[in-house]
Each structure stands twice: as C-alpha cells, then as structure tokens.
Amino acid sequence: MRDNLLKTRVTRWLTFIYLFSLLLASLSLLTCLAATLATTKVSVSPSSITAYVNQDFSIDLVIGDVVDLYGWEFKLSWNPTLLSVVSVIECSFLKTGGNTFFSHNENQDTGHMIVDCTLLGLVPGVNGDGILATITFHVKTSGECPLDLHDVLLLDSFERQIICEAIDGYGNFSASDHDIAITSVYVSPRNVLPGQMVQVNVTAQNQGAQAESFNVAAYANSEIIGTQPVSLDSGTSGIIQFTWDTTGHSKGVYTIYANATAVLGEVDKADNSKTADETVTILYNGHDIAISSVEPSKTVVCETYCISIVVTVVNYGLYPESFNVSVNVNSTILETKNTALNSGDSVKLDFIWNTTGFSKGNYLLSAYSTVVVGETETDDNAKTEGTTTITMIGDINADKIVNIIDIVRVALAFGAVPANPNWDPNADINGDKVINIIDIAIVALHFGETG
C-alpha cells in the first residue's frame, strides 16, 4: 500500500516536472518567436562609427515600421573612458502627433543614460519611420566600444507595449594622422596704458603622426596682432612669441586668442583655436570706474518670484578705488552695494530683485556707479540693458495666458541646470537653478488663467 502510494506521488512529481519543463520551453519559444516576428525596430544609426580623438560625433536613434507610437523610452550604454556626452536632443518624429514631454538623464562616470518621451493628451499615436533622438558624443581617447541600446520600451495610445527589436551601434576611435592644436595662450602684462607692449606666447602642438608646416595667428578681440609660420615634427610642441603694440587702442578689456591654420587631411579642427585664460585691460591715465554690463537672469519673471541681476564693474583707472553701485528698476532704486577695486580689476555684483509688490509689465533695468574723486570719464558710469517683463504666475512666455505652450516650454528643458545646453532660465520659475516637477506644477496650478 505504501509502495503504491509512493509510486503514485513520484509519478505525479515526474509528470509535473515534465509539464513544467514543457511550459518553460514553450515560453522560451514564444519569446524567440515574438522577437522574430517583431517588425518594429529601434536602432543606432549609423551602426558603425569611426571618429577621431578630440572630435565630436552624433548618432540618431531611429525607429522603423511602428504603428500608434504614443511614448518611448530607451537606455544606452558606452565606455566612459573613451566617450563623454555632449548633448541629447529630441527629434521630430513623435512631435508630428502633437505636443510632447521629453526628458533624459545621463551618468558620465558609468557611461549610461535613460531617455524617454511621450505625447501629451488624448491624441492618437504616430505611425511610420523616423528619428526619436540625436545624441552627440566627444571622443576622449583611442579605442573601440559598443553603443549598447537596451531596455527599449514602446507604448501605444492604449498604454499597450509594442514589441520591438533593439539594434546596437559600434564605435572605433583613433588618433588622426594630421592634427594641430593650440594648447595655451599666455599674456603679460595684464594691465597696460595705451602705447605699452603686451607679450603673447602661444604654444602649438603637433598631435598627429606626420610632420607639419602651418601658420599661427594671434588676435586682440577681432584685430590681428601678427602671423608666423611654424614647422613641427610629430608629437612635438613649440612656443610662438608675439608682441602687441597697444598704441591707438582705447581703454577696455581685450580678449586674446590664437588660431592655427588647418593642415591637409586634418579632421579635428576644434582645438586649432584657443583663448587666453586672462584678458588684457588697457587703462585710462587717471581715475575711471565703468559699468560694463547689466545682465538679468531672466527676460520674463512671474510676479512674486525673484530674479538675479548681475552687474559687471571695471576699474579702468590707475588707482585703487572704493565706490557704490546701484541697480534701478525703471526709476526705483532696487539696491546699492559698496565695493572696492584695484587698478585693472573687475567684479560681478549680484543683485536680487524680489518682484513682490511690482505690477505686471515691462521694466527697464539699469546700473549706476558713483563718481570717484578725480574722475572725469563719467559717460560709462551708468548702463541700461534692455527690459524684463513681470507676468502672471505660470505665463513664462508673457503672452497673457497660461496654456500648453508654457507647459511644453518647461517640459523641453526638464531636468536642465544652468550648465546644460537646453537650459531655459524663464522656465526656472522658482529660481532654484533646476527645471523640475515644481516648475511644471506651478504652471499646471494656473493653467487656463489669463490677464
């Protein structure tokens, strides 16, 4: 009796294991079959990339043969020792169906990004072929690596997943045979009177595999200082010396830079030019304070929120000075700050304008420096720099209505901080230096309001 019961149990377990194995095999077969039958493809284009060190290149994320695409997401991985991300841009394919929300997040240290996008509202999805996004990389060093496209998720307008095939890309990165670079520009002295000489030392380097002959030119702002021929063997550097005679030049801050002509076959031309880290200031022979710029952080600010106004002040005189700088909003003095500057120095003063109590409208921004003892050059002690508009809360484009245009503008810059290429200061409504869900919520809370 016990033996029969045991045999029955063993038989049942063996049957269960057999059926479970069949089920797993069937699921595996169905998965393979689904992948085989998937006609929608998302791929890296071009699939094979060749680029040179210090060069930027772009890839497209291309979708083909899709029906009713409402939203998408993909992850992409790369070798972070070889590449760094320059930009991630949404392309037009999904936008043909209406307004979209686009976001991306990349980790440069691990070489990983996640990018997603969705249509907004009750609209049908998009059909056909197109480009989802364009990603630009910078090549840091030689090597090769896959551009691994994975975890691709496509959804239709009914929130159902669209089966698709993901196709990777592959990159091969090498040093160019021909590559000239300007690696440094050094100037001395930094402060001079008109007529004095400035020494400009330019370091050029042959980063290619061949000996090269080329020209190097130095500039002060847009005026050429001089041009010299240079010859360098592969892997060597040379210092080219220029002398800038400042005779006839007016007082001001001058940017010094150098440029090397591209050699035959050179691909990486981005490093053929370089600007000196320090500027040269031509001084006034006396006392002279000047306001050189007035820069508001936004052109449109929502009422009751704050805006930053950065004023740049320069001491063009020969003497250290102490003075006051004021910022005006129309005819109202917003704030006054005391500052001190040595000869030839400059400073950026940050003024905060809290718009609480100010009515909606356009406001003229200006700054003024007090006249120091002995100063006769006073025309540049004041400067006016355009207008800033106060609008109703949520109306970031100042068209007097809070609508989908405002939401889309915030969404297009979602996740951005001031260093990002898609940074939009007007979309940073609360001024916390990041565009996030708080800014979207502010617009949403006032959606439909006019005034």
Side-chain angles (χ1 to χ4, degrees), residues 51-57 78-86 107-111 137-143 173-175 207 268:
Y52 295 102
V53 174
N54 293 322
Q55 181 185 13
D56 291 350
F57 70 92
W78 64 94
N79 186 336
T81 62
L82 303 182
L83 305 175
S84 60
V85 177
V86 177
N107 188 321
Q108 301 276 23
D109 295 329
T110 62
F137 289 96
H138 178 74
V139 182
K140 298 193 290 186
T141 188
S142 300
F173 315 109
S174 60
Q207 298 178 346
D268 176 23

Side-chain angles (χ1 to χ4, degrees), residues 140-161:
K140 298 193 290 186
T141 188
S142 300
E144 54 186 83
C145 72
L147 298 171
D148 179 21
L149 179 65
H150 57 99
D151 293 334
V152 177
L153 176 64
L154 308 179
L155 295 176
D156 66 17
S157 58
F158 297 95
E159 300 182 9
R160 298 173 303 198
Q161 185 171 347

Side-chain angles (χ1 to χ4, degrees), residues 15-89:
T15 302
F16 173 77
I17 292 171
Y18 174 72
L19 292 174
F20 185 71
S21 300
L22 285 177
L23 177 62
L24 289 178
S26 299
L27 289 173
S28 177
L29 180 61
L30 287 172
T31 301
C32 294
L33 183 60
T36 303
L37 294 176
T39 57
T40 300
K41 292 179 172 60
V42 180
S43 56
V44 175
S45 179
S47 58
S48 179
I49 301 101
T50 299
Y52 295 102
V53 174
N54 293 322
Q55 181 185 13
D56 291 350
F57 70 92
S58 296
I59 58 169
D60 293 330
L61 272 296
V62 176
I63 191 166
D65 197 20
V66 70
V67 176
D68 192 30
L69 179 66
Y70 188 87
W72 54 262
E73 178 180 281
F74 68 79
K75 296 177 182 177
L76 188 74
S77 300
W78 64 94
N79 186 336
T81 62
L82 303 182
L83 305 175
S84 60
V85 177
V86 177
S87 65
V88 182
I89 300 173

Side-chain angles (χ1 to χ4, degrees), residues 189-198 220-221 223 244-256 279-285 288 314-318 343-344:
R190 290 185 53 233
N191 300 322
V192 293
L193 285 169
Q196 293 182 328
M197 302 296 177
V198 177
N221 289 350
E223 179 186 345
W244 178 30
D245 183 354
T246 63
T247 300
H249 292 79
S250 59
K251 71 177 183 182
V253 178
Y254 290 80
T255 299
I256 310 299
T279 56
V280 172
T281 302
I282 296 182
L283 303 172
Y284 173 75
N285 193 9
D288 189 11
V314 185
N315 181 1
Y316 286 122
L318 295 180
S343 172

Side-chain angles (χ1 to χ4, degrees), residues 111-193:
H112 179 81
M113 72 169 62
I114 180 170
V115 186
D116 48 21
C117 186
T118 181
L119 288 165
L120 298 172
L122 296 174
V123 295
V126 177
N127 304 325
D129 310 324
I131 302 174
L132 302 179
T134 296
I135 302 168
T136 300
F137 289 96
H138 178 74
V139 182
K140 298 193 290 186
T141 188
S142 300
E144 54 186 83
C145 72
L147 298 171
D148 179 21
L149 179 65
H150 57 99
D151 293 334
V152 177
L153 176 64
L154 308 179
L155 295 176
D156 66 17
S157 58
F158 297 95
E159 300 182 9
R160 298 173 303 198
Q161 185 171 347
I162 301 171
I163 297 173
C164 69
E165 179 184 358
I167 303 173
D168 298 336
Y170 199 86
N172 193 310
F173 315 109
S174 60
S176 173
D177 284 344
H178 305 276
D179 188 13
I180 297 300
I182 301 296
T183 58
S184 73
V185 180
Y186 176 76
V187 295
S188 179
R190 290 185 53 233
N191 300 322
V192 293
L193 285 169

